[in-house]
């Protein structure tokens, strides 16, 4: 009936293409986006995992901050690992700039370094923690969708969702997280 929503995955650095089969299996269109015109043309964003410092540098170098800030504050967004770091209000170890759209403190590499990366099951689905941030001080009104080892790992407040783990590396499409995100984008698009 209604048109498929378009999900833009910020395509500056990190795990971008791996989202395509998950997004498509969840009933949406995938786009890799890196220009303001492309940002304006999508219904929802995934800020992928990768390296948040590198992404920040590229956002500065290409002059994308204002356009991204505008789009991220008005559309549904899901930040994964480095992407969650970009969304958090406060970043520690070390501190760095962020869009501050989610009442959350993240401790970068809080689960340890590369050698401590591990696979876990969340909501019956295998996900990867790769130099993942620890989510702390989750703000009021934020839903905790999943916890692991007593820590929140998947959270949502209004249109903004964040996971400290990567679900896109698992080849069973779509992941429950992609399904939920695409459903929320569809609902928001329908209500608009
Ligand atoms: N440790 C990375 C950072 O601080 C995040 C790792 C990831 O996205 N898998 O940006």
């Amino acid at each position: 009936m209604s048109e498929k929503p378009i999900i833009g995955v910020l395509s500056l650095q990190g795990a971008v293409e791996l989202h395509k089969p998950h997004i498509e299996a969840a009933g949406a269109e995938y786009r890799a986006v890196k220009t303001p015109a492309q940002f304006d043309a999508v219904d929802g964003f995934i800020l992928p995992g990768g390296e948040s410092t590198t992404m920040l540098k590229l956002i500065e170098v290409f002059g994308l901050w204002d356009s991204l800030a505008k789009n991220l504050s008005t559309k549904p967004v899901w930040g994964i690992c480095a992407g969650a770091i970009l969304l958090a209000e406060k970043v520690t170890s070390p501190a760095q700039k962020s869009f501050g759209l989610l009442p959350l403190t993240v401790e970068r590499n809080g689960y340890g370094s590369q050698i401590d990366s591990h696979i876990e099951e969340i909501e019956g689905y295998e996900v990867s923690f790769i130099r993942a941030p620890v989510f702390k001080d989750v703000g009021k009104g934020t839903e905790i969708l999943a916890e692991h080892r007593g820590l929140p790992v998947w959270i949502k407040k209004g249109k903004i969702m964040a996971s400290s783990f990567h679900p896109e590396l698992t080849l069973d499409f779509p992941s429950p997280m992609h399904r939920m995100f695409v459903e929320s984008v569809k609902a928001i698009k329908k209500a608009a």
Side-chain angles (χ1 to χ4, degrees):
M1 195 180 82
S2 63
E3 270 175 64
K4 280 186 183 178
I6 302 167
I7 308 294
V9 184
L10 183 65
S11 173
L12 295 173
Q13 189 269 337
V16 178
E17 282 280 326
L18 289 162
H19 289 283
K20 187 172 190 274
H22 288 280
I23 289 171
E24 290 176 350
E29 186 184 325
Y30 160 89
R31 281 205 202 149
V33 292
K34 57 180 165 191
T35 67
Q38 291 171 338
F39 301 155
D40 288 344
V42 302
D43 299 303
F45 280 91
I46 292 179
L47 301 183
E51 195 54 49
S52 57
T53 45
T54 308
M55 290 183 200
L56 279 174
K57 264 188 203 142
L58 295 171
I59 289 168
E60 293 290 342
V61 167
F62 295 124
L64 300 173
W65 186 272
D66 291 348
S67 162
L68 263 180
K70 179 193 81 181
N71 273 283
L72 299 178
S73 60
T74 52
K75 294 175 183 175
V77 187
W78 172 17
I80 298 172
C81 203
I85 296 170
L86 295 182
L87 291 176
E89 248 166 32
K90 190 170 171 209
V91 181
T92 67
S93 114
Q96 66 185 30
K97 193 175 172 182
S98 61
F99 290 101
L101 294 169
L102 201 52
L104 168 73
T105 299
V106 291
E107 181 192 343
R108 292 185 60 213
N109 302 306
Y111 288 92
S113 59
Q114 187 63 27
I115 199 165
D116 304 301
S117 295
H118 54 284
I119 291 174
E120 300 287 349
E121 218 171 87
I122 303 285
E123 302 289 303
Y125 192 83
E126 269 190 6
V127 301
S128 308
F129 285 81
I130 307 168
R131 289 179 294 107
V134 167
F135 287 180
K136 293 179 164 169
D137 304 328
V138 174
K140 267 202 186 132
T142 307
E143 232 182 307
I144 296 180
L145 300 171
E147 283 189 352
H148 182 65
R149 297 185 191 165
L151 292 168
V153 292
W154 182 23
I155 64 175
K156 189 172 189 289
K157 181 161 196 239
K159 294 199 280 273
I160 314 281
M161 184 166 113
S163 61
S164 51
F165 55 82
H166 291 247
E168 75 281 5
L169 297 162
T170 302
L171 307 179
D172 179 8
F173 314 122
S175 79
M177 297 82 201
H178 286 85
R179 186 181 299 120
M180 176 190 275
F181 183 64
V182 168
E183 284 310 314
S184 73
V185 177
K186 281 183 188 168
I188 288 166
K189 188 173 158 72
K190 207 170 161 191

